[in-house]
Amino acid sequence: MNKKPTNKLPIAVLISGTGRTLKNLIEKIEADQLDCEIKIVIASSKQASGTQFAEMANIPIQIIERSQYETSEGFSESVFQECKIAGVQFVVMAGYLQLLHIPDAFKNKVINIHPSLIPAFCGKGFYGQHVHESALNYGVKISGCTVHFVNNEYDNGPVILQKVVPVLENDTPQTLNDRVFYDAECLAYPEALQLIAEKRVKVVGRKVHIS
Ligand code: GRF
């Protein structure tokens, strides 16, 4: 990926799990391959072990749990309030398992990566190994990942980019998961974010134009 030197985009990274995606983004930033600055990591649970990568990189962490809020709206407001306080312009979901209500100020400023080629194997309940199990049970010959804007429905916003991997004869959900993650996601997410940092991504209706 050839990147244009540009001002660093201040982002928040939202996690729920092991934080492999967060680790990859931190590595790309430290290698000067991605013009972003992670201002804050917000985890949806104390059990999210991925916070260790934020600690190691001296990135502030906030834990905001859905169970502490009566409504999904109140929970979402709290997440975006923390983002504003941290000076964040863009929000990056990285294995984040909570549905958020996006306030107007963050419309088309929240992205997610999903481990399939949307619109296949996506929506409520399609997360983690379930996605790869479903792809294998269906018998698809290719899979991959999708980086997309987040709207108020699961895996539904405009698609920014997709990367494809083959599905092999002896794949298990775990081997397919690893191939999608390392061969597709680890490249696609930094690439999409860099395009955003360079202001080359424009949303028109439900389509994304890249200049
Ligand atoms: C990946 O499969 C990604 O597509 C999905 O969450 C998984 C990564 O979680 N959004 P983590 O970064 O290992 O916590």
Side-chain angles (χ1 to χ4, degrees):
M1 180 174 56
N2 288 323
K3 77 174 180 65
K4 279 199 296 194
T6 177
N7 287 336
K8 290 204 184 297
L9 178 69
I11 63 170
V13 179
L14 274 44
I15 65 169
S16 295
T18 57
R20 294 175 307 165
T21 313
L22 169 65
K23 179 172 181 277
N24 178 50
L25 295 177
I26 292 172
E27 284 170 2
K28 295 289 187 297
I29 291 169
E30 286 176 351
D32 199 23
Q33 291 168 8
L34 177 57
D35 293 321
C36 291
E37 182 185 353
I38 305 176
K39 293 283 198 184
I40 188 166
V41 166
I42 300 178
S44 64
S45 137
K46 290 185 207 63
Q47 272 76 48
S49 61
T51 52
Q52 64 177 304
F53 300 117
E55 266 170 39
M56 284 189 280
N58 286 320
I59 300 167
I61 302 164
Q62 281 285 341
I63 316 277
I64 305 181
E65 294 183 299
R66 173 68 183 85
S67 58
Q68 303 301 307
Y69 296 83
E70 262 177 36
T71 63
S72 173
E73 284 82 356
F75 166 71
S76 303
E77 227 179 272
S78 180
V79 169
F80 286 102
Q81 187 58 23
E82 281 302 331
C83 291
K84 277 189 205 148
I85 292 168
V88 161
Q89 283 176 17
F90 220 87
V91 175
V92 176
M93 291 185 173
Y96 189 68
L97 298 177
Q98 291 292 338
L99 186 67
L100 289 178
H101 294 261
I102 317 276
D104 287 347
F106 279 91
K107 188 167 182 239
N108 292 333
K109 290 188 186 320
V110 184
I111 59 172
N112 180 45
I113 188 161
H114 182 76
S116 75
L117 298 171
I118 289 176
F121 315 118
C122 64
K124 197 169 188 324
F126 282 96
Y127 62 90
Q129 297 292 65
H130 303 302
V131 178
H132 305 295
E133 262 162 31
S134 305
L136 291 176
N137 288 340
Y138 196 93
V140 291
K141 301 297 184 193
I142 55 168
S143 191
C145 71
T146 304
V147 182
H148 64 93
F149 283 100
V150 176
N151 59 18
N152 293 332
E153 287 173 54
Y154 283 108
D155 303 328
N156 179 264
V159 170
I160 304 168
L161 61 87
Q162 297 184 297
K163 282 207 189 294
V164 173
V165 300
V167 175
L168 304 180
E169 200 63 34
N170 296 322
D171 264 336
T172 62
Q174 187 59 52
T175 59
L176 183 55
N177 181 342
D178 288 347
R179 188 174 314 112
V180 168
F181 183 76
Y182 291 106
D183 296 356
E185 293 187 41
C186 282
L187 305 176
Y189 223 5
E191 191 178 322
L193 257 174
Q194 182 59 25
L195 289 168
I196 289 164
E198 291 177 13
K199 301 192 179 10
R200 292 167 59 190
V201 175
K202 193 169 158 209
V203 185
V204 182
R206 74 151 292 122
K207 294 203 182 147
V208 170
H209 297 292
I210 295 175
S211 55

